[in-house]
Every structure is written in structure tokens, then in C-alpha cells.
Amino acid sequence: MQKKWLIKETPEADSIRYLAGSLNISETIARILAQRNIIDVAQAKLFLNPNINNLRPPNLIPGLSAAHKRIEQALRNNENILIYGDYDVDGVTSVALFKRFFRLLGREVDFYIPHRLIEGYGISKEALDEIAWKKVNLIITVDCGISNVEEIAYAKQLGMDVIVTDHHEIPDKLPDCIIVNPKLDPKNPDSYFLSGVGVAFKVVWSLMDTFSQAKKDSRLFHEFVMDTMALVAMGTVADVVPMTGENRVLCSYGLEALQHTKIEGVRALIKQTGLTKGTIRAEDISFRLGPRLNAAGRMGDSLSSFKLLTSYSSEEIEQLVAKLELNNKERQKIEGKITAEASRIVRETYDLDSNYCIVLANDKWHSGVLGIVASKLAEEFYRPAILISTENGVGKGSGRSIPCFHLYDALCTCRELLLSVGGHEYAAGLQIEHRHIPELTAKLNEYAKHHLKTEDRTPSISIDTVLDFSDINRKLLSEIKMIAPFGEGNEEPVFCSHNLQVAGTPKLIGSTLKHLTFHVKGKNRTYRVIAYNKSSYISFLDQNKNKPFSLAYVLKLNVWQGQESIELEFVDIKASG
């Protein structure tokens, strides 16, 4: 599908020059900052130098002070505490964070992570029955619970208090318990977009202030906070929350913590993935660490990931890392098969001119990978996509959306058809009776028709600025690093250059020949281009071998056998003119 190139407007030249001169940065980077509404020097300094001291006090999050008081009471009264978490990376890192914190206090607390395929997302009454047998007094949820009204009422009947710490959208009806969720206060923009582990970190940070003073050993607690920020970074990046505000600060420190973490399981995972200390970036979490931690939960049981993040046994850690690697390979195989099948169904049976939303169901699809497949379908066909796996008359579904379409809000208009629903703008999960799937499809499509304009259904590439090849140098690459970590809301800068030509012969590379590499020349300079999973573009290059074209790309520093070189990572290409 041909993409629109949207080159961002260039702010006023005088203001760019002033910002560049005041910060001693290039006008290219100053322009990128201004395009992201970072327009004055003080604001830019805060952005370019994330500082933990700029985090907002934890007690500004609604419900956190009450949660602090109840947890402190439970600790002082030696009550039995259990942490109840989700099975994805955000949830598992949240449970591990709390587990390690209570262990620091000399308390071993219990935990519960539901089985993704058997129990599904959130709290269940069956799980509460099991927990009640353990004589638990207080349940602390992480990354879940905000929609579990009936289940939390049931927990109270069983004699257990519940504290919900969550970051998902606020439903119409809230559970009757202490709730810690930044979205209860939309006027707090920095904390509003925290991940589940970000919220958990705020609770732990609040408790730290109390217990470090009580133990008169603030150094120990400070080291703990700085080290466990590695967990915060992994959960935050993996959950694809905006990389702005407090998330930017937390991930900046968390990525640094990953370089020299004392958490044995994280060190082993980094080694397994071949990452080198000092070079771990947010994208390494997205594409290497996160998928492996997520693989256990996607294949069914996320306990392997949790144990890896909390174990002190070298032998156990070695076994867990190996298991996660196998889980991830199995996940990739299953995901690839379902993606190919689902894509074929859409291409062969969907009229994309009249279908604004994709909903597919199958009783043979593995529910653990549906979110990933939905994401790939949304990208390929540029439509909101929901995939549902059905069993015994009930379907479990995962959906992913595109810009300009709030998926959770759309599903809430179909609430009467759903057994459950949760999520946010770009991702959601649901349960539905099989017989209601056709009606859900029709209703979502009708909703999408009224909320998606024609231009919304055309994929676009946001380009920060046009570069001449003469503007590309090591200093620019170094300055781009200052804008990192990259993620939702703070994407890696995309550049474009015009009037380029192919130099030499393009080649397909990789074990499956899915990747493409070629050289481009312009302005008396030639650079290598690497195009991942873009083998089909070799025909474009052949057809335009002696014709000028435009290239959209990301600047990268390639290191090979000790030699460094600047290369261009392919984003898109089109004929000039």
C-alpha cells in the first residue's frame, strides 16, 4: 500500500537558530525538538537531560496515599500479602518489582499470575478461591483489576482487602476498594501515561521513603531503586506507552540500569540475546528482551519469566533462559503461520473499500499470539484489526488499532455483546460468545465508517526533515542519541533525501533472503541502505536503476569487525517527482 509522506512543518528560522545556539546543537536537532513542541531553552534542557529529581511525588497519583497507608499497616501487623499480576512483560515486571521490594524488607510475599490460555486476563473468582485458602489478608493487583468489580466484591466476601494498581482506561463502574490509577486524574499529564510497572514503581518509591528512614539505611534503598529501574524500563517499553514525560525519565535511568544490573536473570537474558553492555537501547527491549519475556505467557504460563526476574539460583536461571528461548522460537513459528493465514483471508474475502475494520475468528488459532498478528494485519491493511480464538462457544480476542481510531472506545459501544473488555486507544482484549461475533463485526464496521475518514485509512510516514547527504555526519548521529529513548510519542527521527540514485547492485541478504541492502549516492556521497523485511522493493530499484528517487530513512551507526560506518535504515522509497 503506497504511503503518504508527511514532512513536518519547519518552525520559524530565527527561533531554530536561537535554540540551536543556546544549546550548542545543530539546527537539524533544534528543528526536531521544536516540531515536538519543545520550543524554549529551559524546556529543551529538561528534555535532553532527563533527571529523576523531576519525577512528580508519588502521592499525587489518586489513591496512592491510601494504598501506602494500607500496605504499611499490613507490614506492621504481619498480614499475609499477595501480589496479583498480568501475564505480559508489564505485569510480570510489576510483580517482580514488588516481590523484590518486600524481600528487601525481609518479607516473603506470595504472588499469583493467571494462566493466559486457561484463565485469561484479570482477576477470576476461581483464582480468589485458591488465594483465600492461603489465608491472604491483602491482595495488591498490578497492571490489572480496574474492571474487576464483581471479582473484587467477591474477594471482600472472602475476607480479603484489595488494592488495585493499574493504568488502563477507567470503566463506567469502579471496584469498591483502594484504587491507584493515574487516569483517575486526567489533569496530571506526566503520570497519566505511566505503564503498569510505572505505577507499581511509584507505590514502591512511596514505601521506600518510609522504610528507608525507619531502617536508617537510605543507601541500600537508593541502590535498590536504581537497580530495579531496569524492570521499569522493560515493562514500560514493552507495553508501548508514550515515551514522554515521566516515562522518558524512568526509561532513561532504566536503560542505564540495564547496562550494569545486579538482577541475575536480567543479566543472563541480556547475554542470551547477544546484547553488549553500554549499547542497550529501547528497541533492544522491544525486539529482543521483551519478546522472550512475553513468550512464556503467550505460550501459556508466564511463571518462567517471573522466576527469571526473581531467582538467585544460577542453575535455575540458566534453565529458565533456555526455556524462554525455546518458547520464543515456538511463538515465532505459530505467529508466522497464523499471520499468513489471516492475511490471505483478508486479501481473498474482504472488500476493503466497504470494510473499515477487520474482525476474524477461528477455533484453531493460538490465543497467545493474536495480539501480535492483529498488529501486523493493522499495519498491512491499515485498518483496526481484531482476531478471536474460539473454544466451546466462547471467543478470546486481541485487537490493535491505527492512529485516529480509539479501539477501546469503539469496543465500549458494543459492550452489550461482550463478556468482558479492557485496554486503551491502540490495543484491547475481549471475551465474547461465538454467536455474537457477526454482530460485533457489523457494529464495529459501522462505528469505524463514522469515525475514520478516507485519509485516516491511508498509511502515512511522518518525516521530521529533509536532509542533504552533505548534512550527514557523526555529530548529527551523536545528537540524535540525545533525543532517545525512542518510543510512542517520541519516535526516532525519520529523514528523507531527494534526487538519489542506486550505486552498484542491490542484494538480498539473511538466511531467508527477506532483507535487502543497496547503496545510494547523492551530493557526492554514497551510503549503504539496509531494508529489513523489504525484499520486494528490489523490483523498484531495478525499474529505477538510472532514475532519481527519494528515500525516507533513519540514521544508524553500523559497527562491523571493529569498524564504524554510518548507514541508512530503510523506511520508504518513491520515484522523484
Side-chain angles (χ1 to χ4, degrees):
M1 188 178 294
Q2 189 171 4
K3 301 178 178 67
K4 293 184 296 183
W5 287 21
L6 303 177
I7 300 176
K8 296 178 182 177
E9 292 184 10
T10 302
E12 184 182 344
D14 288 344
S15 63
I16 294 302
R17 281 194 290 268
Y18 177 76
L19 190 62
S22 300
L23 297 169
N24 192 28
I25 58 177
S26 67
E27 290 189 14
T28 298
I29 297 300
R31 188 178 303 114
I32 290 170
L33 291 175
Q35 288 166 340
R36 299 179 187 205
N37 295 318
I38 302 167
I39 54 178
D40 63 61
V41 174
Q43 185 185 17
K45 285 181 178 178
L46 285 174
F47 181 85
L48 295 175
N49 301 282
N51 193 308
I52 195 170
N53 293 321
N54 293 327
L55 292 175
R56 293 166 66 87
N59 59 12
L60 293 181
I61 296 179
L64 199 144
S65 294
H68 177 128
K69 184 177 179 181
R70 180 64 185 89
I71 295 170
E72 186 178 353
Q73 174 189 331
L75 288 168
R76 298 197 188 286
N77 293 339
N78 204 31
E79 297 181 43
N80 289 331
I81 301 172
L82 180 137
I83 314 302
Y84 195 115
D86 189 20
Y87 37 66
D88 65 1
V89 178
D90 193 17
V92 170
T93 52
S94 299
V95 180
L97 175 62
F98 265 115
K99 179 76 172 178
R100 297 181 76 92
F101 167 66
F102 284 121
R103 187 179 285 166
L104 183 68
L105 298 181
R107 288 285 304 273
E108 285 293 336
V109 299
D110 210 340
F111 67 93
Y112 192 97
I113 301 174
H115 191 289
R116 183 176 195 139
L117 304 183
I118 299 173
E119 299 172 84
Y121 174 77
I123 305 171
S124 67
K125 291 183 178 180
E126 293 76 14
L128 291 172
D129 286 334
E130 180 180 334
I131 292 168
W133 279 103
K134 298 180 179 181
K135 307 296 182 184
V136 169
N137 306 108
L138 175 64
I139 298 173
I140 304 172
T141 77
V142 287
D143 194 33
C144 65
I146 194 70
S147 300
N148 292 119
V149 176
E150 293 183 9
E151 291 80 6
I152 289 173
Y154 183 64
K156 293 182 72 173
Q157 292 177 20
L158 296 175
M160 296 180 288
D161 286 343
V162 179
I163 295 173
V164 167
T165 76
D166 204 344
H167 72 119
H168 291 99
E169 298 290 340
I170 305 300
D172 295 334
K173 186 176 181 181
L174 290 170
D176 181 18
C177 65
I178 295 172
I179 300 173
V180 184
N181 189 324
K183 286 186 171 61
L184 289 169
D185 179 16
K187 296 178 181 179
N188 183 354
D190 275 347
S191 298
Y192 187 85
F193 295 108
L194 285 173
S195 61
V197 72
V199 177
F201 175 78
K202 288 278 189 143
V203 177
V204 168
W205 178 16
S206 174
L207 292 165
M208 284 284 187
D209 287 343
T210 297
F211 287 94
S212 64
Q213 292 172 12
K215 287 199 169 191
K216 301 187 187 310
D217 191 356
S218 58
R219 179 190 59 80
L220 179 64
F221 283 86
H222 174 77
E223 290 178 355
F224 173 84
V225 167
M226 300 309 292
D227 196 36
T228 52
M229 274 193 162
L231 299 177
V232 179
M234 288 194 292
T236 298
V237 172
D239 218 50
V240 201
V241 293
M243 195 56 65
T244 56
E246 293 196 309
N247 287 334
R248 176 173 172 78
V249 176
L250 292 170
C251 285
S252 295
Y253 279 82
L255 287 168
E256 179 62 28
L258 275 171
Q259 318 294 338
H260 46 74
T261 180
K262 296 177 183 176
I263 301 176
E264 293 89 339
V266 176
R267 286 208 307 266
L269 188 63
I270 290 172
K271 181 179 179 181
Q272 172 68 34
T273 55
L275 293 172
T276 305
K277 287 184 179 180
T279 62
I280 301 175
R281 302 156 299 175
E283 62 191 79
D284 294 318
I285 295 175
S286 298
F287 298 109
R288 296 198 191 186
L289 303 177
R292 285 166 172 80
L293 288 172
N294 245 337
R298 291 192 182 282
M299 293 299 98
D301 188 356
S302 60
L303 289 183
S304 297
S305 297
F306 169 76
K307 289 177 180 177
L308 180 68
L309 300 179
T310 54
S311 176
Y312 290 110
S313 166
S314 298
E315 183 179 352
E316 182 183 37
I317 287 171
E318 184 179 348
Q319 294 172 351
L320 291 168
V321 167
K323 182 178 180 181
L324 291 180
E325 189 68 23
L326 289 174
N327 285 156
N328 193 45
K329 289 179 179 178
E330 181 185 6
R331 185 269 306 171
Q332 290 173 326
K333 183 178 179 180
I334 294 172
E335 171 203 320
K337 183 178 179 180
I338 296 176
T339 299
E341 182 180 358
S343 178
R344 177 185 56 77
I345 292 171
V346 174
R347 283 185 274 105
E348 292 179 357
T349 66
Y350 261 71
D351 177 4
L352 293 175
D353 290 330
S354 60
N355 286 275
Y356 292 63
C357 191
I358 296 169
V359 181
L360 301 176
N362 192 299
D363 61 0
K364 294 181 175 61
W365 285 346
H366 194 296
S367 62
V369 302
L370 295 186
I372 304 175
V373 178
S375 180
K376 292 188 174 183
L377 290 185
E379 181 181 359
E380 180 181 358
F381 299 105
Y382 217 68
R383 302 285 191 282
I386 297 173
L387 270 72
I388 302 171
S389 176
T390 59
E391 184 178 4
N392 298 324
V394 175
K396 295 179 181 178
S398 290
R400 296 295 184 268
S401 194
I402 59 175
C404 303
F405 190 82
H406 199 300
L407 184 58
Y408 177 76
D409 284 355
L411 286 169
C412 283
T413 67
C414 311
R415 195 183 289 275
E416 75 279 2
L417 301 173
L418 304 174
L419 298 173
S420 65
V421 62
H424 45 79
E425 183 174 0
Y426 291 109
L430 60 89
Q431 290 193 56
I432 183 172
E433 291 184 24
H434 184 273
R435 60 192 178 97
H436 289 318
I437 293 176
E439 190 176 353
L440 172 69
T441 305
K443 193 164 185 177
L444 278 177
N445 194 50
E446 189 65 27
Y447 180 93
K449 282 183 181 179
H450 290 92
H451 287 79
L452 281 174
K453 302 174 184 176
T454 301
E455 56 267 31
D456 295 335
R457 293 181 286 114
T458 303
S460 61
I461 296 171
S462 181
I463 295 174
D464 290 87
T465 191
V466 179
L467 277 185
D468 285 331
F469 271 17
S470 58
D471 296 327
I472 299 174
N473 52 47
R474 293 291 182 89
K475 183 176 185 294
L476 180 58
L477 256 72
S478 178
E479 290 180 330
I480 290 172
K481 288 183 180 179
M482 297 167 62
I483 307 175
F486 301 117
E488 180 72 28
N490 184 46
E491 288 80 8
E492 191 166 8
V494 175
F495 303 100
C496 74
S497 298
H498 303 305
N499 296 315
L500 305 177
Q501 285 189 312
V502 176
T505 304
K507 296 179 181 179
L508 298 180
I509 59 173
S511 59
T512 56
L513 300 180
K514 289 183 177 180
H515 312 310
L516 170 66
T517 184
F518 58 99
H519 286 78
V520 291
K521 59 182 178 181
K523 287 286 184 179
N524 299 318
R525 294 192 185 185
T526 300
Y527 289 104
R528 176 178 182 260
V529 179
I530 177 68
Y532 295 108
N533 297 307
K534 302 293 184 182
S535 58
S536 61
Y537 280 84
I538 197 167
S539 59
F540 174 93
L541 297 175
D542 288 339
Q543 294 166 12
N544 293 270
K545 191 169 186 179
N546 298 309
K547 301 175 184 178
F549 58 84
S550 299
L551 181 72
Y553 56 89
V554 172
L555 284 173
K556 296 289 184 180
L557 183 66
N558 181 46
V559 181
W560 175 251
Q561 295 182 341
Q563 299 295 314
E564 295 182 343
S565 61
I566 297 174
E567 69 178 18
L568 316 182
E569 187 174 299
F570 181 99
V571 174
D572 198 23
I573 195 169
K574 65 179 182 179
S576 291

